[in-house]
Amino acid sequence: MTPSLRRKLEALAERREELERLLADPDVIGDNQRFRQLSREFSQLGPVATALADEAAAQADLETALAMRGDPELSELAEEEITAASERLRRLDIELLAHLVPRDPRDEGDLYLEVRAGTGGDEAAIFAGDLFRMYSRYAERQGWRVEVESANEGEHGGYKELIARVEGRGAYSKLKFESGTHRVQRVPETESQGRVHTSAATVAIIAVEPEGEPIEINPADLRVDTFRSSGAGGQHVNKTDSAIRITHLPSGIVVESQTERSQHANRDTAMKRLRATLAEEQANKAAAAIAEDRKLQVGSGDRSQRIRTYNYSQGRITDHRVEGLTLYDLPNVLTGDLDALVERLQQEHQADELARLTKGT
């Protein structure tokens, strides 16, 4: 590890000590919001402190073993201890470097999940429904809450478009690499001759805008239209123009909301999603400027990029962004068992960031 990276780690350890003192300050304790923010930061720095303590212990063990080397009776034991301590230090070096990877402040927050049918007609809409069900079941396993905000159903099942809000700690950190084009290869139920068709659906993961950091939107840049809701809600929604469609003219982004019973509530919901979408685009542009060659697109990313193929006949799922990331466990993945994919993508992202970090020192 280079001296500059070591200094960064020492700065994190010093910050944790500072936080410990602040959390004991009566003024901080009396400020609920600040106490909560500092407590979260203190908790996040805990693994760094633990790893540094483990490293110090391993270094002490190594020095003790090196001192034993000169004793003929203990030399064999010393060599074993040196090997073990050196290996622990190697692993801890990797772990400590990982703690230096910049944290995305959005990682712990909620997200908007957008799924749209792509090429393939009715089969694409059915596949979009399969993807939404997969993510819903994964969210259920994680203890997250999923609320559909708008849905346009396909004629033979599934969805032409569906937008949902997913709420739960760490939701964005786990699903942010799902954006892009998902391709399916299977025999559709409507296919009488048993031929395999290829269809596609696009997924966009958009972080909910963090509280206290609202993005500024000029009202003159908005076109707001009202229309009659067509979703759930009974006769009420069909009698009033309560649904809202907002177009952000500079970017061309269009958001709708029709799930609430009042026009005011639908406008508020639509504006929240518009702000989140604009913030996501800004974050993606900044990330692209920093690392044009990154393998994993975060957030809305490039929705035209084919990221994954689901092959039903072989029970295979392949992620095209990571070499060798193929699982022959498609049935379980479709029922929400995404852990293997999510963890591998997170590891690849961390490896990319570590490579950038060490390259810049």
Side-chain angles (χ1 to χ4, degrees), residues 120-136:
D122 292 334
E123 170 65 5
I126 293 171
F127 178 51
D130 293 339
L131 289 176
F132 174 66
R133 188 160 47 252
M134 177 183 76
Y135 292 125
S136 296

Side-chain angles (χ1 to χ4, degrees), residues 5 15 37 49 82 160 162 169 211 227 232 239 251 281-282 322 353-354 360:
L5 292 176
R15 173 59 177 167
Q37 291 174 341
I82 289 170
K160 295 179 181 177
L162 182 140
R169 185 171 183 180
E211 292 184 10
F227 60 98
K239 290 182 179 180
S251 65
E281 287 203 346
Q282 288 183 4
V322 179
E353 292 299 303
L354 279 175

Side-chain angles (χ1 to χ4, degrees), residues 217 222 246 255 266-276:
I217 298 177
L222 302 178
I246 300 177
V255 294
N266 277 321
R267 182 187 176 99
D268 182 59
T269 298
M271 284 299 296
K272 287 179 179 177
R273 196 159 76 244
L274 175 61
R275 286 195 179 93

Side-chain angles (χ1 to χ4, degrees), residues 2-50:
T2 64
S4 61
L5 292 176
R6 174 63 60 181
R7 285 194 293 271
K8 290 179 182 180
L9 282 170
E10 291 170 351
L12 291 177
E14 291 171 2
R15 173 59 177 167
R16 191 169 190 270
E17 292 176 0
E18 179 187 10
L19 289 169
E20 191 170 19
R21 291 193 295 270
L22 287 171
L23 289 171
D25 187 322
D27 291 338
V28 173
I29 294 173
D31 186 337
N32 288 337
Q33 183 175 356
R34 190 180 180 208
F35 184 80
R36 187 164 55 251
Q37 291 174 341
L38 295 179
S39 295
R40 186 181 300 116
E41 185 182 356
F42 180 79
S43 176
Q44 290 171 350
L45 291 175
V48 179
T50 299

Side-chain angles (χ1 to χ4, degrees), residues 133-135 137-138 141 330-338:
R133 188 160 47 252
M134 177 183 76
Y135 292 125
R137 290 175 176 173
Y138 178 68
R141 289 168 179 247
L330 183 57
N332 285 326
V333 170
L334 290 171
T335 57
D337 188 2
L338 292 174

Side-chain angles (χ1 to χ4, degrees), residues 28-317:
V28 173
I29 294 173
D31 186 337
N32 288 337
Q33 183 175 356
R34 190 180 180 208
F35 184 80
R36 187 164 55 251
Q37 291 174 341
L38 295 179
S39 295
R40 186 181 300 116
E41 185 182 356
F42 180 79
S43 176
Q44 290 171 350
L45 291 175
V48 179
T50 299
L52 284 170
D54 290 343
E55 183 190 46
Q59 185 63 44
D61 290 344
L62 177 61
E63 292 172 1
T64 300
L66 288 170
M68 293 164 51
R69 241 181 184 171
D71 188 330
E73 296 182 1
L74 298 174
S75 60
E76 186 175 344
L77 176 61
E79 292 300 332
E80 293 177 1
E81 290 292 328
I82 289 170
T83 300
S86 298
E87 176 60 22
R88 286 206 309 278
L89 285 169
R90 186 192 66 80
R91 291 198 305 267
L92 285 165
D93 193 66
I94 296 172
E95 182 181 340
L96 285 166
L97 280 173
H99 289 306
L100 290 176
V101 173
R103 288 182 58 85
D104 188 333
R106 304 169 296 174
D107 274 354
E108 293 301 307
D110 307 331
L111 60 91
Y112 292 107
L113 166 66
E114 301 182 356
V115 184
R116 294 178 175 85
T119 56
D122 292 334
E123 170 65 5
I126 293 171
F127 178 51
D130 293 339
L131 289 176
F132 174 66
R133 188 160 47 252
M134 177 183 76
Y135 292 125
S136 296
R137 290 175 176 173
Y138 178 68
E140 184 179 348
R141 289 168 179 247
Q142 302 297 315
W144 302 337
R145 179 171 174 266
V146 178
E147 180 180 357
V148 175
E149 293 203 346
S150 67
N152 181 5
E153 296 183 358
E155 294 180 7
H156 297 279
Y159 300 98
K160 295 179 181 177
E161 178 185 272
L162 182 140
I163 299 171
R165 178 165 172 146
V166 181
E167 299 177 347
R169 185 171 183 180
Y172 186 75
S173 68
K174 291 181 180 293
L175 292 181
K176 63 183 179 180
F177 302 117
E178 293 300 304
S179 293
T181 297
H182 296 240
R183 186 178 68 168
V184 62
Q185 296 172 328
R186 65 184 177 187
V187 179
E189 294 180 4
T190 55
E191 170 59 53
S192 58
Q193 299 183 29
R195 292 176 298 186
V196 174
H197 287 227
T198 298
S199 304
T202 60
V203 172
I205 301 295
I206 300 171
V208 171
E209 187 183 25
E211 292 184 10
E213 301 178 25
I215 189 168
E216 296 296 328
I217 298 177
N218 187 346
D221 291 339
L222 302 178
R223 185 178 72 235
V224 182
D225 301 307
T226 60
F227 60 98
R228 287 191 178 177
S229 301
S230 58
Q235 295 181 350
H236 170 78
V237 295
N238 295 319
K239 290 182 179 180
T240 62
D241 291 338
S242 60
I244 290 288
R245 179 184 297 111
I246 300 177
T247 304
H248 184 249
L249 300 175
S251 65
I253 294 172
V254 179
V255 294
E256 296 181 357
S257 179
Q258 57 178 314
T259 55
E260 308 295 339
R261 294 179 66 86
S262 74
Q263 190 178 111
H264 177 77
N266 277 321
R267 182 187 176 99
D268 182 59
T269 298
M271 284 299 296
K272 287 179 179 177
R273 196 159 76 244
L274 175 61
R275 286 195 179 93
T277 304
L278 289 171
E280 192 77 21
E281 287 203 346
Q282 288 183 4
N284 289 330
K285 287 178 182 177
I290 294 172
E292 295 181 359
D293 60 345
R294 66 172 57 204
K295 292 182 290 186
L296 303 178
Q297 296 293 325
V298 180
S300 55
D302 180 2
R303 300 182 196 182
S304 65
Q305 180 193 24
R306 187 192 71 185
I307 65 167
R308 195 174 293 155
T309 295
Y310 304 73
N311 186 298
Y312 274 64
S313 62
Q314 299 177 16
R316 169 174 56 83
I317 180 168

